[in-house]
């Protein structure tokens, strides 16, 4: 990764696999994976002030107000492990968040690359309703496509898998609606900055991952 550090944004609707892909890319590139969804769920579990404020929004599939997420992101990005680059998953999710991120990283010799993972609505709904997540290490499984080998336990760390509270039909529909309305405009935002590449997310996990790595190599060599 020459010419400054990389801010890799993995953008996609809920269920597109951004979490899975961001985790894999972070491991391959040896840079941190920063998921605002994970940060918020942790705040919820620990019953922090942020968690208490975010809870109602998350449970109904709405976005948490920008200013609540901004503080956590700003704090995270100044940590030492972000010095070589980082992968953002679930952030930015609105145009004001993208502007905030840009202002945070101004004068820091950071290159933005936004990879958009596109998947049709029907596939997204199917994936989300059969998704199981490890609450301990964050690994994601799918009861139909990618089941855990050890039944209800995580293959990686052995913790009991759980279904996210917002993976119910009603909340899924709202999250998709919010994505199309508030988050999709980011595609144009990054296209205008010549930082956007779209890939097809309706393929096996490894193939999607190869596409992402291909895009990063193409943009950074
Ligand atoms: P998904 O992409 O599967 O919807 P995430 O784990 O990224 O899930 O986010 C879960 C929830 O956390 C969102 O529905 C939203 O309420 C909240 N959230 C996560 N990231 C943000 C963000 N950048 N801005 C506002 N709310 C967020």
């Amino acid at each position: 990764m020459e010419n400054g550090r990389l801010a890799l944004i993995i953008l996609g609707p809920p269920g597109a696999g951004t979490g899975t892909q961001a985790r894999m890319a972070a491991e391959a590139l040896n840079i941190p994976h920063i998921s605002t969804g994970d940060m918020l769920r942790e705040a919820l579990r620990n019953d922090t002030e942020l968690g208490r404020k975010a809870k109602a929004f998350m449970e109904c599939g709405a976005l948490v107000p920008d200013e609540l997420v901004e503080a956590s992101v700003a704090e995270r990005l100044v940590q030492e492990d972000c010095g070589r680059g980082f992968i953002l998953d679930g952030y930015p999710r609105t145009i004001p968040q993208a502007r905030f991120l840009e202002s945070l990283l101004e004068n820091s010799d950071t290159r933005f690359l936004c990879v958009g993972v596109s998947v049709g609505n029907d596939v997204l709904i199917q994936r989300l309703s059969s998704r199981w997540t490890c609450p301990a290490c964050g690994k994601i499984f799918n009861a139909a496509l990618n089941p855990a080998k050890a039944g209800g336990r995580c293959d990686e760390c052995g913790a009991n898998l759980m279904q996210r509270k917002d993976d119910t039909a009603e909340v899924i529909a709202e999250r998709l609606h919010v994505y199309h309305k508030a988050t999709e405009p980011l595609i144009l935002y990054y296209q205008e900055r010549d930082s956007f590449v779209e890939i097809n997310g309706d393929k096996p996990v490894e193939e999607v991952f190869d596409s992402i790595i291909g895009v990063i190599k193409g943009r950074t060599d």
Side-chain angles (χ1 to χ4, degrees):
M1 267 176 253
E2 305 300 324
N3 308 324
R5 69 174 168 173
L6 175 68
L8 177 64
I9 298 162
I10 314 261
L11 181 73
T18 58
T20 300
Q21 296 298 333
R23 281 167 56 91
M24 289 166 74
E27 206 177 309
L29 302 171
N30 196 24
I31 54 178
H33 165 210
I34 301 170
S35 155
T36 43
D38 286 351
M39 282 158 86
L40 289 167
R41 277 185 290 277
E42 195 188 335
L44 229 75
R45 271 197 303 278
N46 296 335
D47 197 27
T48 64
E49 195 187 338
L50 171 65
R52 285 193 294 275
K53 285 183 178 159
K55 190 169 190 268
F57 297 100
M58 294 176 74
E59 283 180 351
C60 70
L63 292 182
V64 171
D66 291 340
E67 61 278 11
L68 288 185
V69 189
E70 279 170 7
S72 311
V73 170
E75 225 172 83
R76 183 64 188 88
L77 293 186
V78 292
Q79 285 171 30
E80 212 184 319
D81 62 343
C82 292
R84 288 185 50 247
F86 47 86
I87 301 179
L88 288 169
D89 159 25
Y91 194 91
R93 235 176 169 101
T94 63
I95 298 279
Q97 289 184 10
R99 294 211 175 98
F100 176 78
L101 179 67
E102 211 165 81
S103 71
L104 260 188
L105 299 174
E106 221 171 29
N107 307 321
S108 71
D109 194 20
T110 305
R111 283 166 309 113
F112 286 90
L113 173 60
C114 178
V115 177
V117 182
S118 72
V119 178
N121 266 5
D122 292 353
V123 175
L124 296 173
I125 292 167
Q126 192 281 330
R127 285 185 183 176
L128 290 169
S129 39
S130 50
R131 171 162 83 173
W132 288 80
T133 314
C134 174
C137 75
K139 198 168 165 65
I140 300 159
F141 299 88
N142 184 289
L145 306 169
N146 167 37
K149 294 182 189 76
R153 284 171 183 276
C154 178
D155 290 348
E156 214 130 289
C157 72
N160 284 329
L161 299 178
M162 50 179 279
Q163 272 194 301
R164 270 172 47 175
K165 272 198 181 151
D166 57 355
D167 281 346
T168 61
E170 206 186 6
V171 182
I172 290 170
E174 178 60 17
R175 282 158 63 208
L176 287 173
H177 171 71
V178 168
Y179 174 79
H180 293 302
K181 194 167 139 235
T183 309
E184 219 162 39
L186 290 175
I187 294 178
L188 186 61
Y189 181 92
Y190 286 110
Q191 273 171 344
E192 284 172 354
R193 285 155 182 76
D194 194 26
S195 313
F196 183 80
V197 181
E198 183 177 25
I199 59 152
N200 179 3
D202 193 3
K203 296 218 167 141
V205 170
E206 290 296 340
E207 267 179 59
V208 177
F209 181 61
D210 288 346
S211 311
I212 294 179
I213 294 296
V215 167
I216 297 169
K217 286 215 167 112
R219 286 280 180 142
T220 53
D221 281 352

